[in-house]
């Protein structure tokens, strides 16, 4: 097992290029199952989750070829399987996204309940509700879910919650359905828009992505395409907070600033200088940040995937800072790890009050999930001594070359073999 060791670092300075978005790449990889010709993808992040999804595609009969860094060629003309291997499903929640494409292409799909980060209930009921509305029969047996249909037929579907995964899965199932499908209260995330743009390149008829109503008119078949994955807004936000928490000066390159408006707004509220320069954003931190409050909400609200990083930042902000988590009920697991390092945090239900600024000290801590792991790196940058972060496989699921990127900015960070704790 490996761990990441972070030492108190000087103010970060320099530039960092943001990789393609994990949360856009995974559904787009799943959507490759719908294509019947060669598909070329660029800006695909080299992450553990991406590797697993590629293994899923190959297990189902797709041909996946690596053409270079961040470049893949995928051909799914001859799918042979509708059942996703349990050992792959168990490793990553996003593997459930193959269910919609398989249902559309094969008329049947069998999957076990998905794995992933333990950040709270993320029910698949919304996915299944959508499949049923399109005409699929669903059978659940001891953690296995089978969906089958003779023909998918378009329907109006209302989502009780704007679930990103359900919106994506229903979209992918509907592109080959007969007639028109309307998804109301759809998720609006940029990753939904990127998936829609990709599907349209394949020949799908999708409109309204990025709004609460998405319309899909089914077609007979989809072909091939070339597509570049959008930049990762959460990785961008993480490095922006890293600049602010260390009082640094960092140019974050390859960013779509419209995707990170809440992050920019909150950093500005804290007193950091944020300068937008086309596809780049420069963040200049200040020695004693002002008090800030955040409340996570579905897009375009403040992203739940940035809550842990901002809570790390709050440990260095003035006074009582408040974080309210409304998306996932179990996303404060990093608080216990922060407290090991000297943070002063009080939790009441879905609210956390962070008292700052606090002098933090290094400790042995564990990454409870992907974003919590990134937040522990941020805390380690300002803590006295060494911070040893264990269970870093979570971090590797969502950040490409994270130590190298931090080192290039002047951070004292390394990956070493881990002793048992």
């Amino acid at each position: 097992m490996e761990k990441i060791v972070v030492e108190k670092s000087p103010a970060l300075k320099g530039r960092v290029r943001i990789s393609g978005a994990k949360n856009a790449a995974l559904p787009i990889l799943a959507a490759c199952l719908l294509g019947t010709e060669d598909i070329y993808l660029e800006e695909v992040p080299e992450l553990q989750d991406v590797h697993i999804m590629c293994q899923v595609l190959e297990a189902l009969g797709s041909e996946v070829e690596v053409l270079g860094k961040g470049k893949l060629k995928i051909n799914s003309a001859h799918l042979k399987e509708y059942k996703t291997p349990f050992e792959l499903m168990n490793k990553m929640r996003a593997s459930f996204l193959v269910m919609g494409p398989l249902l559309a292409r094969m008329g049947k799909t069998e999957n076990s309940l998905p794995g992933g980060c333990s950040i709270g209930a993320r029910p698949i009921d919304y996915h299944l509700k959508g499949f049923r509305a399109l005409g699929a029969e669903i059978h659940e047996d001891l953690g296995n879910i089978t969906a089958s249909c003779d023909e998918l037929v378009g329907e109006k579907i209302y989502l009780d919650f704007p679930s990103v995964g359900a919106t994506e899965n229903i979209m992918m199932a509907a592109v080959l359905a007969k007639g028109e499908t309307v998804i109301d209260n759809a998720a609006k995330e940029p990753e939904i828009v990127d998936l829609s743009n990709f599907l349209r390149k394949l020949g799908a008829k999708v409109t309204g992505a990025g709004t609460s109503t998405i319309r899909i008119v089914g077609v007979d078949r989809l072909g091939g395409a070339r597509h570049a994955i959008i930049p990762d807004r959460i990785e961008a936000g993480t490095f922006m907070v890293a600049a602010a928490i260390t009082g640094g000066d960092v140019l974050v390159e390859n960013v779509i600033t419209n995707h990170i408006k809440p992050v920019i707004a909150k950093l500005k509220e804290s007193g950091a200088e944020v300068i937008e320069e086309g596809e780049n954003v420069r963040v200049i931190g200040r020695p004693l940040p002002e008090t800030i409050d955040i409340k996570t909400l579905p897009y375009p609200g403040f992203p739940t995937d940035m809550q842990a990083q901002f809570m790390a930042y709050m440990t260095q902000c003035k006074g009582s800072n408040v974080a309210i988590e409304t998306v996932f009920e179990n996303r404060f697991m990093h608080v216990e790890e922060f407290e090991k390092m000297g943070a002063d945090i009080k939790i009441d239900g879905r609210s956390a009050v962070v008292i700052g600024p606090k002098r933090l000290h290094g400790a042995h801590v564990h990454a409870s999930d992907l974003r919590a792991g990134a937040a522990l790196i941020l805390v380690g940058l300002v803590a006295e001594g060494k911070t040893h972060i264990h269970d870093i496989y979570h971090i590797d699921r969502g950040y490409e070359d994270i130590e190298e990127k931090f080192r290039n900015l002047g951070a004292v960070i390394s990956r070493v073999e881990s002793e048992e704790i």
Side-chain angles (χ1 to χ4, degrees), residues 134 154-159 162-172 174-175 179-197 199-200 204-217:
L134 295 174
E155 183 59 88
K156 289 187 176 181
I157 301 167
Y158 176 81
L159 294 177
S163 162
V164 174
T167 300
E168 292 167 341
N169 232 341
I170 296 167
M171 283 173 63
M172 291 187 284
V175 291
E180 183 181 63
T181 299
V182 179
I183 308 173
D184 279 324
N185 198 29
K188 304 175 184 178
E189 272 73 0
E191 295 78 15
I192 300 285
V193 178
D194 204 30
L195 174 61
S196 171
N197 291 339
L199 291 170
R200 283 150 53 106
K205 296 181 179 180
V206 184
T207 58
T211 75
S212 59
T213 302
I214 298 176
R215 297 178 182 274
I216 305 110
V217 177

Side-chain angles (χ1 to χ4, degrees), residues 26 47 50 54 96 116 128 188 195 204 217 248 254 293 323 326 332 352 355 366 390 393 401 412:
L26 296 177
L47 303 170
V50 170
C54 288
F96 197 72
L128 303 183
K188 304 175 184 178
L195 174 61
V217 177
N254 192 34
D293 297 336
T326 73
F332 285 153
I355 306 299
H366 293 263
H390 301 268
Y393 60 89
D401 300 329
V412 184

Side-chain angles (χ1 to χ4, degrees), residues 60 63 67 120 148 166 224 233 265 306 392 406 417:
L60 296 170
E63 297 176 5
L67 302 179
S148 58
R233 60 194 171 101
M306 284 300 303
I392 61 173
F406 270 112
E417 285 299 314

Side-chain angles (χ1 to χ4, degrees), residues 238 309 367 369-379 395 399 402 406:
T238 300
Q309 298 92 310
D369 64 73
L370 166 56
R371 306 308 173 184
L376 288 169
I377 292 177
L378 301 184
V379 176
I395 301 173
Y399 290 90
I402 191 165
F406 270 112

Side-chain angles (χ1 to χ4, degrees), residues 23-197:
N23 289 338
L26 296 177
I28 285 173
L29 283 168
C32 287
L33 293 168
L34 294 163
T36 56
E37 300 171 18
D38 287 342
I39 293 170
Y40 296 88
L41 298 180
E42 298 180 359
E43 298 290 346
V44 182
E46 295 183 1
L47 303 170
Q48 184 61 24
D49 276 11
V50 170
H51 296 323
I52 294 171
M53 184 61 87
C54 288
Q55 290 174 2
V56 169
L57 297 185
E58 290 177 324
L60 296 170
S62 298
E63 297 176 5
V64 180
E65 182 181 353
V66 178
L67 302 179
K69 184 173 177 58
K71 297 181 179 181
L72 297 177
K73 176 185 174 182
I74 300 170
N75 188 296
S76 301
H78 305 293
L79 292 184
K80 60 184 180 182
E81 272 290 341
Y82 61 82
K83 184 176 180 180
T84 307
F86 168 79
E87 62 272 15
L88 297 177
M89 285 293 297
N90 194 46
K91 291 180 179 179
M92 182 184 63
R93 181 175 182 82
S95 52
F96 197 72
L97 289 173
V98 302
M99 197 169 188
L102 287 174
L103 190 58
R105 273 291 302 275
M106 309 285 283
K108 186 174 183 179
T109 176
E110 184 177 335
N111 304 75
S112 57
L113 290 173
C117 288
S118 300
I119 56 176
R122 294 190 282 181
I124 60 170
D125 297 359
Y126 305 131
H127 303 241
L128 303 183
K129 173 184 175 181
F131 296 152
R132 285 192 180 97
L134 295 174
E137 292 186 6
I138 309 293
H139 299 282
E140 300 182 48
D141 180 33
L142 299 176
N144 286 323
I145 299 175
T146 302
S148 58
C149 64
D150 293 328
E151 181 183 53
L152 293 178
V153 179
E155 183 59 88
K156 289 187 176 181
I157 301 167
Y158 176 81
L159 294 177
D160 296 319
F161 178 83
S163 162
V164 174
T167 300
E168 292 167 341
N169 232 341
I170 296 167
M171 283 173 63
M172 291 187 284
V175 291
L176 296 180
K178 183 179 180 180
E180 183 181 63
T181 299
V182 179
I183 308 173
D184 279 324
N185 198 29
K188 304 175 184 178
E189 272 73 0
E191 295 78 15
I192 300 285
V193 178
D194 204 30
L195 174 61
S196 171
N197 291 339

Side-chain angles (χ1 to χ4, degrees), residues 148-311:
S148 58
C149 64
D150 293 328
E151 181 183 53
L152 293 178
V153 179
E155 183 59 88
K156 289 187 176 181
I157 301 167
Y158 176 81
L159 294 177
D160 296 319
F161 178 83
S163 162
V164 174
T167 300
E168 292 167 341
N169 232 341
I170 296 167
M171 283 173 63
M172 291 187 284
V175 291
L176 296 180
K178 183 179 180 180
E180 183 181 63
T181 299
V182 179
I183 308 173
D184 279 324
N185 198 29
K188 304 175 184 178
E189 272 73 0
E191 295 78 15
I192 300 285
V193 178
D194 204 30
L195 174 61
S196 171
N197 291 339
F198 173 68
L199 291 170
R200 283 150 53 106
K201 289 179 181 179
L202 294 180
K205 296 181 179 180
V206 184
T207 58
T211 75
S212 59
T213 302
I214 298 176
R215 297 178 182 274
I216 305 110
V217 177
V219 297
D220 292 333
R221 65 180 290 275
L222 297 180
R226 291 182 178 271
H227 185 77
I229 307 296
I230 59 172
D232 194 314
R233 60 194 171 101
I234 305 303
E235 185 191 7
T238 300
F239 279 99
M240 290 166 69
V241 174
I245 197 173
T246 63
D249 182 350
V250 175
L251 183 68
V252 184
E253 300 176 328
N254 192 34
V255 179
I256 301 175
T257 54
N258 276 344
H259 294 174
I260 52 172
K261 286 182 178 179
V263 172
I264 292 173
K266 289 301 175 180
L267 286 175
K268 286 183 175 179
E269 282 182 28
S270 76
E273 187 175 358
V274 183
I275 305 164
E276 299 179 40
E277 303 174 354
E279 294 183 351
N280 306 327
V281 58
R282 181 181 177 190
V283 178
I284 304 171
R286 59 178 292 176
L288 185 57
E290 297 292 338
T291 306
I292 52 173
D293 297 336
I294 62 169
K295 180 179 181 179
T296 66
L297 292 166
Y299 189 87
F302 189 92
T304 180
D305 279 353
M306 284 300 303
Q307 177 254 106
Q309 298 92 310
F310 263 81
M311 194 178 292

Side-chain angles (χ1 to χ4, degrees), residues 5-20:
V5 180
V6 187
E7 298 183 42
K8 185 171 184 178
S9 301
L12 300 188
K13 295 185 184 299
R15 56 181 62 205
V16 59
R17 188 181 189 279
I18 299 305
S19 301

